């Protein structure tokens, strides 16, 4: 499960870089391209906020300041964990949508086994990612539509700075509880399965994000702004 935290950090850094780089070229185009991910991101916040007993006071998938969308809600009825759940919601909602649509686009990727060993998780995740890349049908238009959706959903899964601040207290409690259960030999099989699938989906989402980030960085080197 530790790999999910590393993937979340990677998503945050890569999507932040793309946000700064691409929005400076054409903010309107960037907003339109990222709209599917923005919708899922903010909708994930909204759904979990309602589940936590909060009331939605404002919701938008249109840019506001330096953000692509936003949601405002009252305080959740469940302290600490409620705020953490609301903040971490896109990190679950976006890859979940990616998993759901993958079958329609004929894309398959394996999930690593749920484990508390970060080295085992990393090895299986790298092998699975390589298998995913080599297994894509690059002559099928659906592949490119899926990669675009993976790109925007990957960006949508990335937590904002506000999300990170809000989720930390509750997330520490949740992670500590899961670790304690594992330490005392209480096996939560379904949780491991869910986390492993989420980590697989996040790793798939990072592929097009990273590819675009590399292309943008290379273009900046080739054509520096004067």
């Amino acid at each position: 499960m530790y790999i999910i935290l590393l993937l979340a950090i990677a998503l945050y850094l890569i999507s932040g870089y793309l946000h700064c780089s691409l929005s400076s070229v054409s903010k309107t185009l960037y907003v339109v391209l990222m709209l599917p991910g923005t919708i899922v991101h903010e909708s994930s916040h909204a759904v979990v906020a309602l589940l936590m007993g909060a009331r939605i006071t404002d919701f938008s998938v249109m840019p506001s300041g330096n953000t692509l969308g936003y949601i405002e809600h009252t305080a959740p009825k469940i302290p600490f964990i409620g705020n953490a759940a609301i903040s971490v919601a896109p990190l679950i909602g976006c890859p979940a949508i990616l998993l759901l649509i993958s079958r329609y686009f004929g894309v398959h990727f394996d999930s690593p086994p749920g484990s508390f060993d970060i080295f085992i998780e990393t090895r299986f995740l790298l092998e699975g990612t390589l298998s995913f890349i080599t297994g894509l049908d690059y002559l099928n238009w659906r592949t490119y539509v899926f990669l675009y959706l993976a790109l925007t959903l990957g960006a949508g899964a990335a937590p904002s700075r506000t999300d990170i601040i809000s989720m930390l207290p509750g997330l520490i409690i949740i992670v500590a509880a899961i670790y304690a259960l594992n330490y005392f030999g209480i096996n939560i099989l379904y949780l491991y399965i869910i986390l492993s699938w989420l980590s697989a989906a996040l790793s798939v989402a990072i592929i097009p994000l990273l590819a675009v980030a590399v292309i943008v960085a290379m273009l900046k080197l080739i054509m520096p702004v004067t």
Side-chain angles (χ1 to χ4, degrees):
M1 62 168 289
Y2 300 119
I3 199 69
I4 293 182
L5 298 177
L6 297 179
L7 290 171
I9 294 172
L11 283 172
Y12 172 76
L13 295 174
I14 297 172
S15 63
Y17 173 75
L18 289 179
H19 178 79
C20 294
S21 300
L22 298 181
S23 60
S24 63
V25 176
S26 175
K27 187 170 184 178
T28 301
L29 179 60
Y30 177 72
V31 168
V32 172
L33 287 175
M34 293 300 174
L35 187 58
T38 303
I39 292 173
V40 177
H41 180 103
E42 303 304 339
S43 297
S44 299
H45 280 314
V47 169
V48 176
L50 293 173
L51 291 175
M52 293 294 108
R55 182 170 56 86
I56 308 300
T57 57
D58 200 3
F59 179 92
S60 176
V61 293
M62 292 293 105
S64 175
N66 199 38
T67 62
L68 295 178
Y70 64 90
I71 176 177
E72 295 178 1
H73 56 82
T74 59
K77 294 183 178 179
I78 304 176
F80 295 111
I81 294 178
N83 283 324
I86 295 170
S87 299
V88 81
L91 198 58
I92 298 173
C94 288
I97 295 297
L98 192 62
L99 285 171
L100 288 174
I101 66 175
S102 62
R103 288 187 176 274
Y104 172 77
F105 289 99
V107 176
H108 173 75
F109 45 92
D110 298 320
S111 66
S115 171
F116 276 80
D117 190 324
I118 191 170
F119 296 107
I120 293 177
E121 282 190 293
T122 303
R123 179 170 62 84
F124 276 99
L125 205 58
L126 290 174
E127 291 175 354
T129 301
L130 180 61
S131 175
F132 168 79
I133 294 173
T134 56
L136 288 174
D137 182 3
Y138 292 99
L139 298 179
N140 191 332
W141 63 270
R142 289 189 176 187
T143 298
Y144 298 96
V145 175
F146 176 82
L147 289 175
Y148 159 68
L149 292 174
L151 169 71
T152 181
L153 288 171
S160 65
R161 185 173 299 179
T162 303
D163 291 338
I164 293 174
I165 295 173
S166 299
M167 74 171 66
L168 278 179
L171 198 59
I172 291 172
I173 295 174
I174 294 171
V175 171
I178 294 174
Y179 183 82
L181 290 172
N182 180 74
Y183 179 81
F184 289 108
I186 302 175
N187 191 358
I188 314 174
L189 179 61
Y190 292 110
L191 179 61
Y192 290 163
I193 293 173
I194 292 172
L195 291 176
S196 64
W197 276 109
L198 286 177
S199 63
L202 287 173
S203 66
V204 167
I206 281 180
I207 294 171
L209 271 175
L210 185 59
V212 173
V214 170
I215 292 172
V216 170
M218 291 178 65
L219 288 175
K220 282 187 172 183
L221 289 174
I222 297 172
M223 299 179 294
V225 178
T226 56

